[in-house]
């Protein structure tokens, strides 16, 4: 019988090294003595970084990221592989980002995607996120950002709601409407910002419903329940289908642009490729 060709040898796995807790504790103590500052607060139940510890971790991640990018630059022809942890808002993550991540993985099957959705702003370093997709304006920080697509925030509701309640001619008239509010930890976002010429002003709104998930607000609005104040990217499909209708377009306060945000330092080659892919996809005429 003809002999079967030998299967190609698998590359050896990198050995995992177990490190004793006492060894880690000793290393941290020595590092604290070297820098002359406490890096971690310790108790019987938990560990937490001090301000100095968080700063050191951020710098260390930047150095590792730059090293990863430097090695990746030597393998520009190699296939993208490895994990990418992404966070985004609930509504945009479900309606827009998830299909794009699926398409990116079809091109690069060795990339592993981890998607975390939250309408709260999370700490990228503390949660070990590689990338955040956020609407601006962005606060000043040591994070890097790249504009993906310009945007704006719009007042909208279902045509049936406007037909029943009337369309406001000025933002101040929203006080007489059932406005659906995004609930954030601590306080709901019940003050909507508008612009009249060079003057910006807030309108306090209220309604019979609020939710911590932006996609729930969108679904309520499509069902004719009330008025929402949403980023155009979140409701582009509903606007195109006529399920939502915009009012007060002359008073839009913006821009509310969409950014890719990542920790300081050069991103890995797979993260940079994903950002390039998202920018091209979101700026395409189809998007």
């Amino acid at each position: 019988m003809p002999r079967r060709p030998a299967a190609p040898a698998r590359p050896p796995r990198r050995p995992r090294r177990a490190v004793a807790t006492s060894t880690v504790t000793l290393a941290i103590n020595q590092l604290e003595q070297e820098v002359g500052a406490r890096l971690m607060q310790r108790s019987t139940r938990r560990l937490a970084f001090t301000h100095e510890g968080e700063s050191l971790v951020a710098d260390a991640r930047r150095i590792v990221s730059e090293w990863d990018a430097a090695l990746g630059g030597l393998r520009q022809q190699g296939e993208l592989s490895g994990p990418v942890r992404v966070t985004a808002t609930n509504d945009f993550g479900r309606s827009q980002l998830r299909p794009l991540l699926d398409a990116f993985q079809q091109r690069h099957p060795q990339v592993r995607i981890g998607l975390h959705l939250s309408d709260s702003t999370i700490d990228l370093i503390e949660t070990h996120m590689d990338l955040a997709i956020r609407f601006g304006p962005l606060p000043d920080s040591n994070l890097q950002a790249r504009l993906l697509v310009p945007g704006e925030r719009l007042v909208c509701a279902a045509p049936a709601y406007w037909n029943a309640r009337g369309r406001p001619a000025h933002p101040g008239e929203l006080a007489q409407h059932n406005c659906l509010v995004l609930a954030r930890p601590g306080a709901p976002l019940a003050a909507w910002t508008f612009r009249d010429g060079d003057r910006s002003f807030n309108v306090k709104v209220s309604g019979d419903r609020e939710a911590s998930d932006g996609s729930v607000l969108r679904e309520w609005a499509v069902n004719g329940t009330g008025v929402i104040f949403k980023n155009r990217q979140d409701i582009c499909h509903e606007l195109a289908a006529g399920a939502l209708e915009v009012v007060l377009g002359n008073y839009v306060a913006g821009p509310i642009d969409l950014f890719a945000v990542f920790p300081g330092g050069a991103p890995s080659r797979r993260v940079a490729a994903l950002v390039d892919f998202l920018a091209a996809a979101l700026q395409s005429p189809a998007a």
Side-chain angles (χ1 to χ4, degrees):
M1 296 178 62
R3 299 178 62 183
R4 293 182 179 180
R10 294 183 178 180
R13 293 184 177 181
R14 182 179 298 178
R16 296 182 178 180
R17 293 180 293 179
V19 181
T21 302
S22 58
T23 302
V24 176
T25 301
L26 178 61
I28 293 175
N29 291 337
Q30 292 175 341
L31 186 58
E32 288 179 333
Q33 293 176 5
E34 183 175 350
V35 301
R38 182 177 292 277
L39 302 177
M40 303 186 73
Q41 298 287 0
R42 305 167 179 85
S43 69
T44 56
R45 294 186 177 183
R46 66 189 298 268
L47 297 175
F49 285 113
T50 64
H51 173 75
E52 291 77 11
E54 290 180 347
S55 178
L56 181 61
V57 168
D59 289 339
R61 289 186 182 279
R62 175 181 53 80
I63 293 171
V64 171
S65 177
E66 290 176 350
W67 176 252
D68 184 34
L71 294 181
L74 301 176
R75 302 188 295 268
Q76 288 298 320
Q77 302 303 318
E79 186 175 6
L80 295 179
S81 64
V84 178
R85 290 174 52 81
V86 187
T87 180
T89 58
N90 287 290
D91 208 352
F92 181 80
R94 292 190 181 103
S95 64
Q96 299 275 337
L97 182 59
R98 185 200 56 77
L100 295 179
L101 293 178
D102 291 344
F104 182 79
Q105 269 194 304
Q106 289 179 357
R107 294 188 181 187
H108 307 286
Q110 298 304 315
V111 172
R112 303 189 305 278
I113 297 293
L115 179 59
H116 177 84
L117 300 181
S118 174
D119 284 328
S120 299
T121 301
I122 67 172
D123 188 305
L124 300 187
I125 296 175
E126 182 178 331
T127 55
H128 308 294
M129 290 291 166
D130 299 300
L131 179 66
I133 308 301
R134 292 177 178 169
F135 290 97
L138 301 175
D140 293 333
S141 68
N142 60 352
L143 304 177
Q144 297 188 54
R146 173 180 168 182
L147 175 65
L148 293 177
V149 61
E152 56 190 351
R153 188 171 288 155
L154 305 173
V155 177
C156 56
Y161 175 91
W162 294 133
N163 293 337
R165 299 288 299 271
R167 293 163 177 77
H170 186 273
E173 298 176 19
L174 290 172
Q176 283 75 52
H177 284 269
N178 191 44
C179 296
L180 312 178
V181 177
L182 180 65
R184 287 284 179 87
L189 298 181
W192 294 356
T193 303
F194 297 92
R195 177 173 296 167
D196 188 359
D198 295 331
R199 182 179 68 92
S200 295
F201 60 96
N202 293 330
V203 174
K204 188 175 182 179
V205 299
S206 63
D208 62 1
R209 306 184 188 197
E210 64 179 45
S212 61
D213 188 328
S215 61
V216 174
L217 299 180
R218 173 173 49 84
E219 292 170 2
W220 278 340
V222 169
N223 291 334
T225 303
V227 183
I228 56 173
F229 198 33
K230 293 285 288 179
N231 301 298
R232 179 182 289 275
Q233 286 290 331
D234 287 345
I235 56 174
C236 58
H237 299 310
E238 289 73 19
L239 293 177
L244 292 175
E245 180 182 330
V246 175
V247 299
L248 303 174
N250 294 332
Y251 295 94
V252 168
I256 308 294
D257 298 332
L258 186 64
F259 292 89
V261 182
F262 36 89
S268 66
R269 193 163 65 96
R270 59 186 177 274
V271 172
L274 175 57
V275 172
D276 289 340
F277 176 84
L278 293 177
L282 292 171
Q283 294 174 16
S284 68

